[in-house]
C-alpha cells in the first residue's frame, strides 16, 4: 500500500503540549532560580501538562492515543530488528523507541514535580536533603534524555527521510 507523501499526525493539543513542556523545562533549568515561586509553579504546570497529555492519550485523536503507539515488547523488538538490519518500519505516529522515550520523559517530569513538592512540605523536613539530591539527579536525567530525544528526531528523520521535527510544529509529516 502506497502511503501519501504528507500525513496529518499531530493535532494542536499534542503540539501545544510538546512545546509548552519544552518551554517549562528550559525555564526551570536555565532561567528561574531553584526554589523560587516561578520555578515551583512552572514545575507544577509541567506536571499538569503531563497529566493532560495522559488523558489525551486515552481520548485524543488517532495518533495521540496510546493504542496507536504503545511500545509493547513485540513492537520494540520488531523496531529494534528493523534498525539493526537498516530497514526500520515506518511509523506515522511515534515509533516504539520514540514512544518509550516520550513515556520516560513524562515520568521524569512527574517525578520532578513530586520531589520538588516534597521539598516544600514541612512534614517531610527530614526528607528534604535526599529529595533535593534526587530532584537534581532527575533534572539532569531529563535534560540528558531530552537532548537524546531531539538528536534522535533529527537523525531518524534524515535517515528515514521524514520531517519529524517540522511535524511537531505544523502537525504534518512529510515523507520524501
Amino acid at each position: 500500500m502506497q502511503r501519501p507523501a504528507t500525513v496529518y499526525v499531530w493535532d494542536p493539543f499534542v503540539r501545544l503540549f510538546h512545546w509548552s513542556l519544552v518551554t517549562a523545562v528550559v525555564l526551570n533549568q536555565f532561567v528561574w532560580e531553584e526554589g523560587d515561586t516561578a520555578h515551583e509553579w512552572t514545575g507544577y504546570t509541567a506536571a499538569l501538562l503531563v497529566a493532560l497529555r495522559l488523558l489525551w492519550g486515552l481520548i485524543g485523536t488517532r495518533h495521540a492515543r496510546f493504542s496507536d503507539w504503545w511500545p509493547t515488547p513485540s513492537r520494540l523488538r520488531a523496531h529494534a530488528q528493523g534498525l539493526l538490519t537498516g530497514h526500520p518500519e515506518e511509523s506515522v505516529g511515534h515509533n516504539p523507541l520514540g514512544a518509550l522515550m516520550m513515556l520516560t520523559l513524562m515520568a521524569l517530569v512527574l517525578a520532578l514535580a513530586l520531589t520538588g513538592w516534597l521539598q516544600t512540605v514541612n512534614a517531610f523536613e527530614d526528607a528534604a536533603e535526599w529529595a533535593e539530591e534526587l530532584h537534581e539527579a532527575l533534572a539532569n536525567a531529563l535534560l540528558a534524555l531530552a537532548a537524546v530525544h531531539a538528536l534522535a528526531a533529527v537523525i531518524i528523520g534524515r535517515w528515514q527521510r521524514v520531517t519529524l521535527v517540522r511535524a511537531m510544529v505544523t502537525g504534518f509529516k512529510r515523507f520524501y
Side-chain angles (χ1 to χ4, degrees):
M1 182 172 144
Q2 187 78 19
R3 64 165 160 63
T6 302
V7 177
Y8 184 69
V9 64
W10 303 128
D11 63 69
F13 177 81
V14 169
R15 297 189 325 265
L16 181 63
F17 158 77
H18 181 270
W19 294 113
S20 296
L21 191 59
V22 168
T23 300
V25 169
V26 168
L27 286 172
N28 265 1
Q29 189 64 32
F30 301 111
V31 178
W32 308 141
E33 289 291 323
E34 296 172 17
D36 282 356
T37 301
H39 180 90
E40 289 178 22
W41 282 103
T42 302
Y44 297 143
T45 300
L48 175 62
L49 286 167
V50 170
L52 291 171
R53 178 61 182 93
L54 292 172
L55 176 63
W56 197 243
L58 298 173
I59 65 171
T61 57
R62 176 182 174 193
H63 298 298
R65 290 186 185 204
F66 298 133
S67 59
D68 187 63
W69 51 262
W70 192 261
T72 64
S74 61
R75 285 179 176 172
L76 284 164
R77 190 171 28 261
H79 186 70
Q81 287 172 340
L83 287 172
L84 291 173
T85 62
H87 302 292
E89 294 179 5
E90 287 182 356
S91 301
V92 175
H94 289 293
N95 71 46
L97 288 176
L100 192 59
M101 178 63 85
M102 179 188 150
L103 293 169
T104 302
L105 292 170
M106 289 194 306
L108 282 168
V109 169
L110 293 176
L112 278 161
L114 177 61
T115 56
W117 174 76
L118 283 174
Q119 294 174 64
T120 68
V121 177
N122 290 338
F124 295 106
E125 278 184 44
D126 294 337
E129 188 174 325
W130 71 260
E132 184 177 348
E133 289 174 11
L134 180 56
H135 189 76
E136 188 173 327
L138 291 169
N140 290 334
L142 178 64
L143 285 178
L145 289 178
V148 168
H149 166 70
L151 186 60
V154 171
I155 291 170
I156 295 296
R158 288 180 186 249
W159 181 29
Q160 292 187 322
R161 303 179 51 79
V162 61
T163 56
L164 292 178
V165 177
R166 177 181 268 167
M168 197 47 75
V169 174
T170 67
F172 292 90
K173 272 189 182 179
R174 193 177 110 234
F175 297 87
Y176 54 97

